[in-house]
Amino acid sequence: MSDHVTIRDIAGGVRLIGLDRPEKKNALTGNMYDAMFQALEGADASDEIGAVVFAGLPGVFSAGNDLGDFVEAARTDFRQTPALRFIRRLARTKTPMVAAVDGIAVGIGTTLTLHCDLVYVSDKARFRMPFVELGLVPEAASSYLLPRRVGLLKATELLLLSEPFDAATAVGLGLANAVMPSDMLVEHAVAQAARLAALPRGAIEASRRLIRGNQAEVEAALEAEAEAFEARLRSPEAQAAFKSFLDRAPKPAT
């Protein structure tokens, strides 16, 4: 598990996965991905857990992948990284998933929600997928899922131009269910998750398969992205973008 991810099983058969790395705006590290992987895998294996909720901190869901980890991943086998291991698990999870997004949701902070069954956002939610700006390609099967959700032209705008969008736009595009006040967001997400958890498990699993459609196509897109992503990680464009970002990042006080 990770010091920056809290896992709590609460009343109603709900597992709450909380991101808790405030100093880095919940940027995800390998250890955080591993913790979330274990939480999802454990939920699928449990008779008690009927739904999972992803939540961040007040004002920040996740700033995306830690860029320092991206730099390290470029030196290793990306196919074996905790990030890709988690993304594969996310796509295959049988337990219903709910996201409670308050504040910034960048990169994987946005694409994670495409795999959730319900998504609730605060009026402070701000989404962005700056993969191309970083010399990369989309991930988490977003190149497949997003066009089917919002249409080809809008998906192109969001993925290639990295256009940010707010809570109301997310609801209008069908990427979120509703906008909630920040102080009620997680409570509402947990309540909705408990409703899912109370339903017959077999019926939920079968219905999710029908609603989601062709799982093989989702996984094929995910793997095609992973191959392209690995190549892009090592590209001069991506390395220059990472260096530029890291050079601008505030240095710790000495």
Side-chain angles (χ1 to χ4, degrees):
M1 303 302 280
S2 167
D3 290 341
H4 300 302
V5 177
T6 60
I7 313 296
R8 289 196 296 129
D9 294 344
I10 54 184
V14 175
R15 172 162 291 178
L16 180 61
I17 301 176
L19 305 179
D20 188 12
R21 195 187 181 204
E23 71 280 7
K24 294 292 185 179
K25 298 182 179 178
N26 286 345
L28 298 175
T29 65
N31 286 340
M32 294 171 75
Y33 282 119
D34 278 340
M36 292 193 293
F37 173 92
Q38 292 168 29
L40 292 180
E41 186 175 59
D44 274 356
S46 172
D47 293 330
E48 287 74 40
I49 302 302
V52 170
V53 174
F54 290 99
L57 299 166
V60 57
F61 184 65
S62 175
N65 199 93
D66 188 290
L67 283 190
D69 273 25
F70 271 161
V71 172
E72 184 59 33
R75 305 188 185 104
T76 61
D77 181 358
F78 178 70
R79 300 303 185 92
Q80 304 304 316
T81 58
L84 187 55
R85 184 167 173 254
F86 166 73
I87 287 170
R88 287 173 172 146
R89 177 76 259 176
L90 184 69
R92 296 168 185 164
T93 294
K94 297 177 181 179
T95 306
M97 296 177 287
V98 181
V101 180
D102 187 19
I104 62 169
V106 177
I108 185 66
T110 295
T111 58
L112 177 156
T113 68
L114 297 174
H115 295 273
C116 291
D117 300 272
L118 299 170
V119 178
Y120 298 99
V121 298
S122 78
D123 58 3
K124 299 181 180 65
R126 298 293 183 271
F127 298 88
R128 194 163 181 261
M129 294 174 283
F131 303 114
V132 174
E133 283 186 4
L134 291 170
L136 302 171
V137 297
E139 37 85 303
S142 57
S143 64
Y144 175 86
L145 295 171
L146 194 63
R148 282 153 183 79
R149 200 78 71 81
V150 305
L152 181 63
L153 294 180
K154 191 63 180 180
T156 299
E157 181 179 70
L158 298 179
L159 289 172
L160 296 193
L161 296 180
S162 309
E163 288 289 343
F165 56 101
D166 61 13
T169 302
V171 172
L173 290 172
L175 298 175
N177 293 87
V179 180
M180 306 294 299
S182 294
D183 59 354
M184 296 174 57
L185 178 64
V186 175
E187 179 183 355
H188 181 77
V190 167
Q192 294 295 84
R195 290 181 63 188
L196 292 172
L199 295 168
R201 299 291 172 85
I204 279 281
E205 185 174 335
S207 297
R208 289 180 83 243
R209 283 199 302 269
L210 292 168
I211 292 168
R212 288 166 172 262
N214 195 321
Q215 177 68 15
E217 289 186 2
V218 173
E219 296 197 26
L222 193 157
E223 295 302 329
E225 289 174 350
E227 182 178 354
F229 201 99
E230 182 171 43
R232 295 305 308 164
L233 273 174
R234 299 189 174 96
S235 71
E237 290 175 341
Q239 291 299 309
F242 298 160
K243 183 178 185 304
S244 175
F245 181 90
L246 293 171
D247 284 348
R248 295 196 310 269
K251 301 299 187 289
T254 56

